[in-house]
């Protein structure tokens, strides 16, 4: 049998269903589901889907089609004609169709759609008859077809790249504007049938002039032109850049949907709209949406007129004067409301739907799982668990790490926000706060951001060509468009701060400035947006973190906590960091760096003492300096262990090479010389002695302790004494002493002798029997992973220092990688920066070997990770899979690591189930 390339839907039946997204694309699969599923059978205009296989064929066969396609399309078209009792191209009773794109994953606005296909000079009279004599409507539909077709098929798909503002659509829009101007009218709806007829004529002439070809006034030619244009749009510039950003593979291809036209622009009993089964901006569990009376679908998405709210829950300061659909068409609203309820129950998730009302009849044109921002995602999950719509496992899988990240993002400090007046208000399309310098084009946004500037992209309205600029910007502000406009949709998908429909703003693109009620803001001026409220402020307002009051977040994290297996610890050097991380549910500290106390606030005194120690020449001198330093180290460690009461705290012994701490300023050097009673010459000589050619691979970590055992001894004593004191205070300290930069078990044996001796001394001094603790090592040198079995005979725990392990495993200096990494990524030599996400193939293999051999050397060896990777979701999944006990990351990444750890468990289960079924 010939391969099936075309799937029909409509009339209560469908060849496909929702599970066939790979073949039918998201739109096609859901149209089939809505039309044909026994629980739905919704009013979907009949049509058919050309599969993604056709697209794949098209690109691998020099843009041609499989030979069976034509016949299959004809057959499918015939059955639509039967259902509709109309004929494509028939002068007296014509069928019109739309040609719509639809990839596996939705790519809002990135690909093309052509409406009203099949309308020609010949079929116009027939459509007028169908429309009850409404000529105006028919010529409006015709001018839309001509506009869309010339833009999408004749220009874009043909690969023509017009100069800025000279695209055919822009040129035709200007023709239309002139006509409106002549009439002295503003809205498209003021144009009469005669005006539109005239406009269509002018359009055709202009098209011939500009593109050198006639607009094809033949139905079949239009249909195949449309189909080809959709396939071509898969490889359009903006679709490609969107795929890059979203990580959608080029091989997928798009499907094409051909569907009977229904008209929302047949008069005041017609309308079109977009809605969500819940509010995608904040998760509010109410039907939410916008609609336009007497308009075709594209008008809502393009943000041409301000749409009206469908109900009171959808009202904003912006549109509250407009009549709701609930009021304007109560019966239809009720029907729509019931349908959206059914859809949500059917899909168990929030749905984004497109509908059109033709002369008082409701049609469903699209549904899909709706994009939402982070706060909304978490809220919906928690609500849906309560409503028993989903299980907690499903909830955990549904929130992406980056959505969770949004909840952890800064907001404008309310204190400052309260004392500032917004210069403009708009719709809150993307949450959180952001400050930046104004830019007016996407290209500028990209260029400025490259220079390290923070920018806010201000546009009249955004279009798909702007995506890269939107990406580069901190936030987006548009003058036009509603909550379902392009800018809002894209920003929401990314969780980016965004305000749309800020109608007080008048953008003067050429002058690189904007006017707001007599005030002017220029390119480069700072503004601050509150995307949660829709307020825009002048200047740069201070930000703060919003996590404290969010109980929903805490509940969600608790659920993650019940599923995950990995422990989640934090990297913290201060009691403040430690308690912040505790709030997020960190279960210990995976890395406390002793050296942090020599940097930043309050470090003067300890740093001076450390320097004294470093510059000391004799054991005696050094011991004196160390004695002075001891109380500082002990106090610091004690505070942090106390904050983690009962949870383990991994304390790393001094790690960096000593010369890092030698002062550079003359004044500090003189002070040091005086204190040590030596002259400047001698001081310089000693400092120079510390100089190394390759300090990162030099005299550091355990090597310091091997040459200066008294330095390690002091730190170990500080750890045990701090713990002993805490025990006396009734606390439960649990330090884990970690020796860094180890490559051989003998280094550890050397240190274990010191540790044992001091442990005994401290127990005796405080008169206690034991201090719960562990002695272990960081695994960060490739050799250590290979001899891990031996190392584990001494080490009671391993903590993978994946920053250094990556550095030394690749032989890439992390500090110098900027010189070549971009080229490596561009050429695809590396898939991504290995310092961001663990290189599983190479460095991951070292980790696996290290764990395997380590556990051979010691049963039950505790294994964790403390590099930056501990907060990267994919790396967390890897850590779970290789059997680590915990990951450790910065306090702000703790929630993300927790979610990733829970998802790793669930994904693993899923994979196992799939394997079992096979
Ligand atoms: P996108 O994927 O960019 O949203 P769509 O294929 O959904 O593109 O089409 C764009 C607009 O055209 C939508 O608003 C949709 O409602 C409208 N539209 C598409 N097909 C039809 C049709 N058969 N009848 C009426 N309106 C349609
Ligand atoms: Mg759509
Ligand atoms: Mg290191």
């Amino acid at each position: 049998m010939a391969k099936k390339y075309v799937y029909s839907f409509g009339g209560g039946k469908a060849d496909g269903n929702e599970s066939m997204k790979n073949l039918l694309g998201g739109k096609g699969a859901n149209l089939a589901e809505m039309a044909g599923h026994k629980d739905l059978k919704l009013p979907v205009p009949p049509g058919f889907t050309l599969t993604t296989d056709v697209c794949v064929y098209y690109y691998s066969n020099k843009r041609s089609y499989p030979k069976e396609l034509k016949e299959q399309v004809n057959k499918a078209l015939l059955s639509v004609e039967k259902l509709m009792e109309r004929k494509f191209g028939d002068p007296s009773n014509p069928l019109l169709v739309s040609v719509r794109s639809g990839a596996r994953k939705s790519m809002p606005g990135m690909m093309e759609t052509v409406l009203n296909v099949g309308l020609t000079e010949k079929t116009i009279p027939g459509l007028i008859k169908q429309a009850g004599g409404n000529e105006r409507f028919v010529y409006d539909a015709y001018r839309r077809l001509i506009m869309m077709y010339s833009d999408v098929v004749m220009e874009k798909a043909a690969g023509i790249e017009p100069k800025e503002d000279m695209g055919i659509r822009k040129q035709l829009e200007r023709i239309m504007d002139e006509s409106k101007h002549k009439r002295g009218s503003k809205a498209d709806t003021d144009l009469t049938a005669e005006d539109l007829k005239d406009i269509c004529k002018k359009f055709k002439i202009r098209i011939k002039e500009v593109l050198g070809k006639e607009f094809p006034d033949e139905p079949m030619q239009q249909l195949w032109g449309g189909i080809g244009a959709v396939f071509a749009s898969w490889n359009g510039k903006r679709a490609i850049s969107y795929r890059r950003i979203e990580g959608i593979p080029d091989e997928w291809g798009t499907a094409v949907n051909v569907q009977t036209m229904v008209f929302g622009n047949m008069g005041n009993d017609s309308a079109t709209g977009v809605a969500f089964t819940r509010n995608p901006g904040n998760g509010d569990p109410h039907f939410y949406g916008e609609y336009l009376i007497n308009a075709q679908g594209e008008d809502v998405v393009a943000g041409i007129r301000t749409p009206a709210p469908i109900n009171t829950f959808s009202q904003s300061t912006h549109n509250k004067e407009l009549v709701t659909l609930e009021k304007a068409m109560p019966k239809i609203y009720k029907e729509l409301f019931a349908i959206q309820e059914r859809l949500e129950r059917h899909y168990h998730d929030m749905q984004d739907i497109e509908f059109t009302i033709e002369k008082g009849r409701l049609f469903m044109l699209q549904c899909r799982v709706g994009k939402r921002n982070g706060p909304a995602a978490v809220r919906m999950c928690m609500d849906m668990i309560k409503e028993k719509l989903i299980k907690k496992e499903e909830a955990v899988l549904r929130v992406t790490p980056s959505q969770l990240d949004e909840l952890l993002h800064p907001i404008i400090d309310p204190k400052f926000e309260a004392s500032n007046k917004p210069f403009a208000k708009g719709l809150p399309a993307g949450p959180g706060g952001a400050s930046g310098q104004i830019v007016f084009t996407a290209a500028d946004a990209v260029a400025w951001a490259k220079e390290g500037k923070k920018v806010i992209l201000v546009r009249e309205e955004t279009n798909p060509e702007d995506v890269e600029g939107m990406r580069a910007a901190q936030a987006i502000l548009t003058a036009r468009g509603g909550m379902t406009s392009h800018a809002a949709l894209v920003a929401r998908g990314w969780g980016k701060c965004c305000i749309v429909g800020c109608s007080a703003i008048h953008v003067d693109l050429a002058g690189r400035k904007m006017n707001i009620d007599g005030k002017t803001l220029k390119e480069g001026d700072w503004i601050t947006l509150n995307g949660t409220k829709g307020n825009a402020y002048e200047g740069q307002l201070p930000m703060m973190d919003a996590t404290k009051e969010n109980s929903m977040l805490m509940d969600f994290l608790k659920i993650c906590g019940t599923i995950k297996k990995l422990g989640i610890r934090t990297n913290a050097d201060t009691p403040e960091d430690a308690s912040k991380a505790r709030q997020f549910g960190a279960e210990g500290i995976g890395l406390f760096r002793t050296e942090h106390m020599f940097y930043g606030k309050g470090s003067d005194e300890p740093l001076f003492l450390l320097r004294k120690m470093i510059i000391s020449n004799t054991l005696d001198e050094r011991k004196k300096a160390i004695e002075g330093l001891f109380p500082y180290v002990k106090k610091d460690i004690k505070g942090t262990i106390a904050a983690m009461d009962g949870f383990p705290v991994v304390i790393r012994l001094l790690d960096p090479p000593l010369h890092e701490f030698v002062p550079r300023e003359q004044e500090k050097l003189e002070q040091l010389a005086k204190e040590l009673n030596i002259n400047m010459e001698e001081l310089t000589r000693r400092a120079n002695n510390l100089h190394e050619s390759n300090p990162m691979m030099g005299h550091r970590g355990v090597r310091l302790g091997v040459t200066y055992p008294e330095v390690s001894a002091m730190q170990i004593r500080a750890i045990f004494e701090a713990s002993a004191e805490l025990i006396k205070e009734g606390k439960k300290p649990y330090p884990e002493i970690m020796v860094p930069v180890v490559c051989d078990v003998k280094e550890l044996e050397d240190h274990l002798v010191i540790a044992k001796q001091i442990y005994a001394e401290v127990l005796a001094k405080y008169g206690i029997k034991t201090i719960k603790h562990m002695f272990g090592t960081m695994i960060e040198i490739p050799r250590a992973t290979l001899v891990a079995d031996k190392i584990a005979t001494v080490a009671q725990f391993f903590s993978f220092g994946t920053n250094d392990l990556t550095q030394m495993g690749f032989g890439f200096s992390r500090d110098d990688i900027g010189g070549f990494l971009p080229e490596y990524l561009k050429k695809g030599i590396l898939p991504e920066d290995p310092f961001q996400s663990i290189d599983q193939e190479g460095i991951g293999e070292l980790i696996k070997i290290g764990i395997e051999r380590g556990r051979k050397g010691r049963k039950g060896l505790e294994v964790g990770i403390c590099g930056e990777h501990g907060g990267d979701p994919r790396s967390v999944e890897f850590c779970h899979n290789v059997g680590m006990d915990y990951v450790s990351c910065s306090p702000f990444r703790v929630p993300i690591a927790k979610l990733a750890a829970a998802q790793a468990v669930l994904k693993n289960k899923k994979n196992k189930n799939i394997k079992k079924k096979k």
Side-chain angles (χ1 to χ4, degrees):
M1 219 179 74
K3 188 163 174 178
K4 189 169 169 67
Y5 285 110
V6 177
Y7 286 69
S8 293
F9 56 84
K13 281 195 295 219
D15 296 344
N17 62 52
E18 190 262 335
S19 72
M20 296 164 75
K21 285 206 179 81
N22 293 358
L23 189 63
L24 304 180
K27 198 179 288 166
N30 283 324
L31 282 170
E33 184 85 358
M34 283 198 291
H37 192 281
K38 66 172 173 32
D39 297 337
L40 295 171
K41 295 193 188 289
L42 302 183
V44 175
F48 51 90
T49 305
L50 283 69
T51 67
T52 52
D53 284 347
V54 180
C55 188
V56 172
Y57 184 102
Y58 177 83
Y59 280 110
S60 41
N61 290 280
K62 296 192 199 124
R63 302 199 172 212
S64 68
Y65 300 119
K67 60 178 186 329
E68 306 91 321
L69 186 68
K70 198 159 190 185
E71 200 193 309
Q72 293 187 20
V73 165
N74 286 341
K75 239 174 104 182
L77 189 59
L78 196 68
S79 55
V80 175
E81 289 174 338
K82 272 198 193 129
L83 277 172
M84 294 303 299
E85 297 177 339
R86 290 175 185 173
K87 273 182 109 58
F88 192 64
D90 182 13
S92 63
N93 192 17
L95 173 74
L96 300 196
V97 296
S98 65
V99 179
R100 318 172 67 184
S101 59
R104 280 193 214 182
K105 264 200 184 162
S106 109
M107 298 168 55
M110 292 303 134
M111 287 185 296
E112 307 299 350
T113 296
V114 188
L115 303 181
N116 306 336
V117 168
L119 192 54
T120 64
E121 295 288 356
K122 278 204 196 105
T123 55
I124 279 176
L127 187 63
I128 294 176
K129 206 158 59 184
Q130 283 171 18
N134 187 344
E135 260 194 54
R136 190 204 168 273
F137 152 75
V138 175
Y139 281 99
D140 186 47
Y142 197 43
R143 70 95 190 154
R144 285 173 195 263
L145 168 66
I146 300 174
M147 223 167 183
M148 265 187 258
Y149 194 93
S150 59
D151 173 38
V152 170
V153 185
M154 301 175 74
E155 187 172 273
K156 289 212 179 85
I160 297 170
E161 284 185 29
K163 283 203 206 85
E164 167 101 37
D165 240 26
M166 290 308 283
I168 188 70
R169 181 179 269 270
K170 275 267 146 63
Q171 299 208 35
L172 300 187
E173 271 168 7
R174 279 197 287 268
I175 292 179
M176 207 160 123
D177 283 343
E178 270 166 38
S179 291
K180 277 192 265 180
H181 202 72
K182 259 190 226 147
R183 287 214 139 262
S185 66
K186 273 201 190 130
D188 297 359
T189 38
D190 293 337
L191 294 169
T192 64
E194 283 310 310
D195 294 336
L196 289 162
K197 211 185 267 183
D198 183 52
I199 286 172
C200 290
K201 253 192 219 126
K202 287 187 178 143
F203 275 12
K204 285 184 183 168
I205 295 168
R206 180 62 61 87
I207 289 170
K208 181 82 204 284
E209 279 168 13
V210 175
L211 299 171
K213 274 192 202 154
E214 301 278 354
F215 165 77
D217 214 37
E218 202 284 314
M220 272 301 172
Q221 207 181 332
Q222 287 176 2
L223 178 62
W224 285 100
I227 291 172
V230 171
F231 286 137
S233 72
W234 174 256
N235 272 346
K237 248 202 220 147
R238 46 199 171 114
I240 290 174
S241 45
Y242 187 85
R243 285 206 291 276
R244 288 287 124 76
I245 293 169
E246 297 283 309
I248 297 174
D250 292 339
E251 305 82 61
W252 280 4
T254 181
V256 176
N257 301 290
V258 176
Q259 187 175 24
T260 302
M261 278 305 301
V262 288
F263 299 100
N265 52 339
M266 271 207 182
N268 288 337
D269 54 354
S270 302
T272 184
V274 177
F276 302 86
T277 56
R278 298 174 192 231
N279 186 322
N282 59 21
D284 208 19
H286 292 293
F287 189 34
Y288 183 92
E290 299 171 329
Y291 79 108
L292 277 174
I293 292 256
N294 197 10
Q296 220 164 27
E298 39 158 10
D299 301 346
V300 184
V301 185
I304 285 166
R305 274 191 264 155
T306 301
I310 55 167
N311 56 19
T312 52
F313 296 114
S314 315
Q315 277 174 338
S316 67
T317 45
H318 232 63
N319 60 17
K320 65 174 185 295
E321 268 81 51
L322 303 169
V323 184
T324 64
L325 182 69
E326 193 174 10
K327 272 226 177 94
M329 304 180 180
K331 248 181 80 188
I332 295 271
Y333 178 79
K334 242 173 118 183
E335 188 187 347
L336 180 65
F337 188 87
I339 286 177
Q340 63 88 23
E341 271 192 324
R342 277 167 69 195
L343 279 173
E344 198 181 272
R345 243 179 291 129
H346 184 74
Y347 284 98
H348 301 275
D349 203 351
M350 186 267 274
Q351 295 295 301
D352 167 351
I353 59 188
E354 286 176 11
F355 61 91
T356 283
I357 299 157
E358 178 182 313
K359 291 188 157 303
R361 245 180 98 188
L362 176 66
F363 293 94
M364 302 304 294
L365 286 178
Q366 191 172 330
C367 83
R368 65 183 165 205
V369 170
K371 285 199 183 6
R372 64 206 71 183
N373 60 32
V378 171
R379 166 111 198 247
M380 284 178 200
C381 280
M382 296 311 292
D383 283 347
M384 287 184 190
I385 292 174
K386 268 189 224 129
E387 295 163 25
K388 296 207 163 36
L389 211 55
I390 56 173
K391 296 226 165 67
K392 65 176 190 183
E393 286 78 10
E394 178 61 41
V396 167
L397 282 172
R398 237 177 229 185
V399 177
T400 66
S402 59
Q403 282 174 328
L404 197 63
D405 195 33
E406 282 172 49
L407 272 79
L408 311 170
H409 270 319
I411 57 169
I412 304 175
D413 188 330
K415 280 201 303 288
F416 292 89
E417 190 167 10
S419 58
N420 271 274
K421 244 181 85 101
F423 69 81
K425 286 183 175 206
L427 299 174
S435 294
Q437 293 177 275
I438 299 173
V439 291
F440 291 102
T441 72
D444 285 343
V446 172
W448 288 41
K450 246 193 205 138
E451 290 170 21
K453 289 180 183 161
K454 291 186 163 185
V455 299
I456 291 182
L457 179 62
V458 179
R459 300 283 285 165
E460 192 70 28
E461 60 192 309
T462 67
N463 60 49
E465 269 105 19
D466 292 332
V467 278
E468 287 191 73
M470 296 168 75
R471 187 73 173 179
Q474 303 293 315
I476 299 140
L477 174 63
T478 73
R480 285 200 270 170
M483 286 292 277
T484 48
S485 66
H486 175 261
L489 229 60
V490 173
R492 196 147 54 233
W494 291 341
K496 183 159 285 204
C497 173
C498 175
I499 299 176
V500 298
C502 210
S503 50
I505 293 178
H506 297 279
V507 176
D508 170 6
L509 184 58
R512 292 289 194 269
K513 58 183 194 228
M514 62 178 173
N515 298 314
I516 316 103
D517 298 330
K519 191 196 302 277
T520 301
L521 290 172
K522 296 185 307 296
E523 179 179 87
D525 288 346
W526 280 86
I527 54 172
T528 301
L529 305 187
N530 177 341
T532 314
K533 286 193 194 152
N535 292 346
Y537 302 92
E538 267 181 272
Q540 199 178 1
L541 302 189
M543 301 283 158
M544 62 172 277
D545 84 75
T547 44
K548 287 208 183 79
E549 314 91 68
N550 198 332
S551 68
M552 195 81 76
L553 171 66
M554 294 305 160
D555 289 345
F556 180 73
L557 289 177
K558 256 186 222 143
I559 293 181
C560 295
T562 63
I563 293 171
K564 71 171 182 59
K565 296 262 158 52
L566 273 175
I568 310 292
R569 297 191 191 180
T570 190
N571 299 350
D573 303 326
T574 62
E576 297 81 65
D577 277 1
S579 46
K580 168 104 244 166
R582 285 285 297 124
Q583 272 176 24
F584 288 144
E587 300 149 320
I589 289 180
L591 180 62
F592 172 93
R593 306 178 194 87
T594 344
E595 58 270 16
H596 93 93
M597 60 185 290
F598 304 118
Y599 304 107
K601 212 173 80 189
S603 64
D604 276 2
E605 195 56 19
L607 182 58
F608 183 71
L609 291 163
L610 178 75
R611 284 168 168 168
K612 215 168 118 184
M613 177 187 100
I614 292 168
I615 298 295
S616 296
N617 226 9
T618 64
L619 184 61
D620 230 32
E621 264 178 15
R622 190 155 46 244
K623 276 203 166 144
K624 258 208 215 117
I626 287 174
E627 263 166 42
L629 198 50
F630 176 74
Y632 289 98
V633 177
K634 182 164 132 186
K635 177 165 168 264
D636 213 46
I637 289 175
K638 191 175 166 183
T640 301
I641 299 183
M644 278 287 152
D645 191 27
F647 284 113
V649 177
V650 175
I651 300 159
R652 180 175 71 182
L653 302 185
L654 200 60
D655 183 51
L658 292 182
H659 80 96
E660 261 191 27
F661 298 103
V662 175
R664 287 185 181 72
E665 317 91 76
Q666 190 62 23
E667 184 200 341
K668 289 270 160 67
L669 285 164
E670 277 166 12
Q671 203 185 344
L672 199 57
K674 202 169 140 211
E675 175 79 16
L676 286 166
N677 225 344
I678 53 176
N679 59 26
M680 282 299 283
E681 247 166 78
E682 173 64 10
L683 183 79
T684 317
R685 197 186 59 76
R686 290 187 192 181
N688 285 347
N689 266 349
L690 291 168
H691 175 80
E692 293 176 309
S693 316
N694 265 320
M696 290 321 283
M697 289 159 96
H699 195 172
R700 58 175 290 212
V702 67
R703 298 160 204 167
L704 285 173
V706 169
T707 44
Y708 308 119
E710 57 281 4
V711 176
S712 292
M714 178 270 285
Q715 297 175 69
I716 294 172
R717 187 182 303 280
I719 294 169
F720 283 134
E721 285 200 9
S723 305
E725 285 174 15
L726 287 168
I727 291 176
K728 294 245 148 172
E729 292 163 25
K731 299 233 159 77
K732 292 186 222 115
Y734 184 8
E736 298 185 33
I737 299 165
M738 178 159 77
V739 185
V741 204
V742 163
C743 65
D744 193 275
V745 66
K746 296 215 180 66
E747 292 169 319
L748 271 186
E749 282 167 353
D750 177 89
H751 265 58
L752 186 61
V753 175
I754 304 173
K756 277 194 165 153
Q757 190 195 331
I758 290 170
Y759 181 57
E761 284 172 23
V762 173
L763 290 186
K765 180 176 168 187
Y766 286 85
I768 46 181
K769 283 211 187 76
T770 54
I771 298 169
K772 185 176 170 190
H773 72 281
M774 278 209 265
F775 181 81
T777 183
M778 199 144 163
I779 301 286
E780 51 188 333
I781 294 179
R783 186 181 192 275
T785 65
L786 303 177
V787 297
D789 46 349
K790 294 212 183 87
I791 291 178
T793 59
V794 175
Q796 294 168 296
F797 69 87
F798 282 0
S799 173
F800 282 89
T802 46
N803 298 344
D804 269 318
L805 192 61
T806 302
Q807 177 156 266
M808 290 188 249
F810 272 96
F812 290 164
S813 156
R814 182 157 63 135
D815 303 312
D816 304 315
I817 196 171
F820 55 88
L821 184 68
E823 208 59 27
Y824 267 56
L825 296 177
K826 215 167 89 193
K827 293 199 166 147
I829 293 173
L830 283 179
E832 67 196 316
D833 179 355
F835 291 98
Q836 300 279 328
S837 194
I838 290 177
D839 155 54
Q840 299 191 8
E841 191 185 6
I843 305 303
E845 199 58 25
L846 285 174
I847 295 173
K848 272 194 210 157
I849 291 171
I851 296 175
E852 215 178 272
R853 295 190 184 170
R855 287 192 174 141
K856 229 178 250 159
R858 176 186 297 267
K859 250 205 185 143
L861 174 79
E862 177 188 276
V863 179
I865 182 178
C866 62
E868 295 295 318
H869 299 102
D872 165 65
R874 232 161 345 124
S875 306
V876 171
E877 189 180 341
F878 171 79
C879 293
H880 171 87
N881 291 342
V882 297
M884 284 197 194
D885 296 296
Y886 69 86
V887 296
S888 187
C889 55
S890 65
F892 263 97
R893 308 214 37 100
V894 164
I896 292 170
K898 214 169 184 181
L899 172 62
Q903 290 184 339
V905 173
L906 299 171
K907 281 185 196 163
N908 248 337
K909 259 191 208 153
K910 262 195 182 166
N911 288 343
K912 273 190 197 133
N913 286 345
I914 291 170
K915 272 190 204 136
K916 259 188 219 153
K917 271 186 200 155
K918 280 183 182 165

